[in-house]
Amino acid sequence: MKSDGVGRLGAASCVALVAVCRMASASEPLPSAETPRAAGTDAASPAPYTNDARPLRQSRDDAWWTGPILAAGASTLPPGHALIEPYVFDLMSRGRYDENGTRHPGPHRNSYGSLTYLLYGVVDGFTAGVIPRFTYNDVSGGQDSSHIGMGDFTLQGTFRLTEFREGSRTPTMSIVLQHTLPTGKYDRLGPRTSDGVGNGAHTTSLGLNSQYFLWMPNGRILRTRLNFSYAISDTVTVDDESVYGTPPGFHGHARPGRVFIVDSAWEYSLTRHWVLALDIAYEHDGHTTLEGVVPPPAAGGGTPARIQQDFGSGEVFTLAPAVEYNFNSRVGLIVGSLFTVAGRNASATVAPVAALNMVF
């Protein structure tokens, strides 16, 4: 997030990537044009020392950030400024965790995707924007996607509540409201189920984001984030083959479970340009249920077969280490990977990720 950046792959992430990618975003005020930045140390060497041998405290103006992969910032864009941040990723399946948390191998699958944060500072303390997504599925032992598909489309608003000040214990905090529209194809897929790139549900997510700055013993800055989000989806009408695993001729409804995510993120300013980042995220998915009927074979007659299924609740723990390189205070690149380390009734995945963060 330039000048403290933006949208991150919402730890939903795991599901964000795994299913549709829920996310949030934000950005701190841009540097003042009237106030020049303090001189920084670009070399990866120890911080300079004062005459009494104590480390010099790094200035916040000397630290440039792009932001971790998953945790969104808690600040908002200044009025009239815009943020553009395209992501690219490859979500790779490594099997599945069963109800007891044991991981089992499964068919290999690559979901190549992109999503882009398009945000604008409307007024002081409020940023609005949209997040379009695109996906292509490459399935081993099955048919790949017939084309690149547009996934679900998210509307987002960020309302800043408080702002960090040096010497204060109050972090920057904001409320993030998202609504995801079911624009991605999810049912009537025919035999090519890899064309499914959405879940068919209107989903509303409410999040609380916070951000704080700490100074380490060597004088360098450690930026921390702690984010919470809770998402609720409506009931989905499902026909024929779908992302819910339904057979041809099926007609019924699915109800995606509620999703709770907590994400703790840490960024260490090595130099003005280079930053090390790490997300530690936990996600709990409520019960997704499916109910409907399948007509009998045309030739055989008989009564429709009724299907009722509860996919159960699930949970997953995710790590997302990354490296940031900031070209200047408004443009930065982040490269890293997110991967599941434990879970229950959930997919085991790993996903290389790269994003370019630009503030104008």
Side-chain angles (χ1 to χ4, degrees), residues 2-355:
K2 285 344 315 144
S3 310
D4 195 9
V6 281
R8 295 289 116 192
L9 286 181
S13 63
C14 292
V15 175
L17 293 179
V18 178
V20 244
C21 265
R22 302 159 203 255
M23 291 156 242
S25 92
S27 156
E28 275 195 318
L30 299 172
S32 169
E34 291 75 32
T35 305
R37 290 186 172 275
T41 302
D42 291 341
S45 57
Y49 281 74
T50 60
N51 292 335
D52 60 2
R54 289 179 298 178
L56 183 66
R57 181 184 172 100
Q58 183 185 13
S59 165
R60 286 176 62 200
D61 283 338
D62 184 56
W64 295 343
W65 313 93
T66 292
I69 290 177
L70 297 178
S75 291
T76 50
L77 287 165
H81 287 273
L83 179 145
I84 299 175
E85 186 174 26
Y87 277 83
V88 292
F89 57 85
D90 176 14
L91 183 67
M92 298 179 286
S93 173
R94 300 190 300 164
R96 186 168 181 83
Y97 297 101
D98 64 19
E99 184 66 30
N100 298 317
T102 302
R103 199 179 95 185
H104 301 277
H108 184 75
R109 179 189 180 102
N110 292 77
S111 292
Y112 302 103
S114 73
L115 60 94
T116 302
Y117 283 90
L118 303 171
L119 306 178
Y120 182 76
V122 181
V123 296
D124 186 37
F126 175 63
T127 293
V130 298
I131 309 169
R133 300 178 177 87
F134 296 89
T135 301
Y136 180 87
N137 294 313
D138 181 356
V139 183
S140 65
Q143 289 184 306
D144 300 338
S145 296
S146 60
H147 59 277
I148 296 174
M150 180 178 179
D152 293 341
F153 187 88
T154 297
L155 310 175
Q156 176 174 293
T158 301
F159 307 82
R160 192 181 70 241
L161 303 176
T162 62
E163 192 166 6
F164 172 82
R165 295 283 187 270
E166 287 193 40
S168 170
R169 295 186 178 181
T170 302
T172 299
M173 299 181 68
S174 66
I175 291 176
V176 179
L177 180 64
Q178 292 185 329
H179 184 77
T180 298
L181 305 173
T183 53
K185 190 172 180 59
Y186 72 96
D187 70 348
R188 293 177 175 149
L189 301 176
R192 197 182 291 267
T193 56
S194 56
D195 278 341
V197 293
N199 72 353
H202 285 268
T203 300
T204 300
S205 173
L206 182 65
L208 177 64
N209 294 356
S210 65
Q211 179 173 280
Y212 197 75
F213 293 84
L214 300 171
W215 276 261
M216 304 303 290
N218 64 353
R220 307 301 294 181
I221 295 177
L222 179 69
R223 190 172 73 166
T224 68
R225 291 177 176 176
L226 182 61
N227 295 355
F228 301 88
S229 69
Y230 188 73
I232 300 176
S233 299
D234 66 357
T235 300
V236 182
T237 299
V238 181
D239 290 298
D240 300 317
E241 296 96 326
S242 72
V243 296
Y244 297 96
T246 51
F250 176 88
H251 176 73
H253 297 86
R255 182 65 184 262
R258 300 182 178 186
V259 178
F260 170 74
I261 296 170
V262 57
D263 184 358
S264 176
W266 308 78
E267 293 173 278
Y268 178 70
S269 177
L270 284 173
T271 71
R272 168 179 277 193
H273 296 283
W274 292 97
V275 176
L276 299 179
L278 175 67
D279 285 275
I280 304 172
Y282 167 77
E283 177 175 331
H284 181 272
D285 300 324
H287 292 249
T288 292
T289 59
L290 178 71
E291 183 174 356
V293 296
V294 178
T303 59
R306 187 159 195 84
I307 293 178
Q308 285 185 306
Q309 189 169 0
D310 185 334
F311 295 97
S313 64
E315 57 187 357
V316 65
F317 292 89
T318 302
L319 295 180
V323 176
E324 307 169 22
Y325 181 78
N326 299 280
F327 300 95
N328 53 48
S329 66
R330 301 192 184 196
V331 179
L333 175 70
I334 183 168
V335 178
S337 179
L338 65 85
F339 55 91
T340 55
V341 293
R344 181 181 60 82
N345 197 22
S347 297
T349 58
V350 59
V353 179

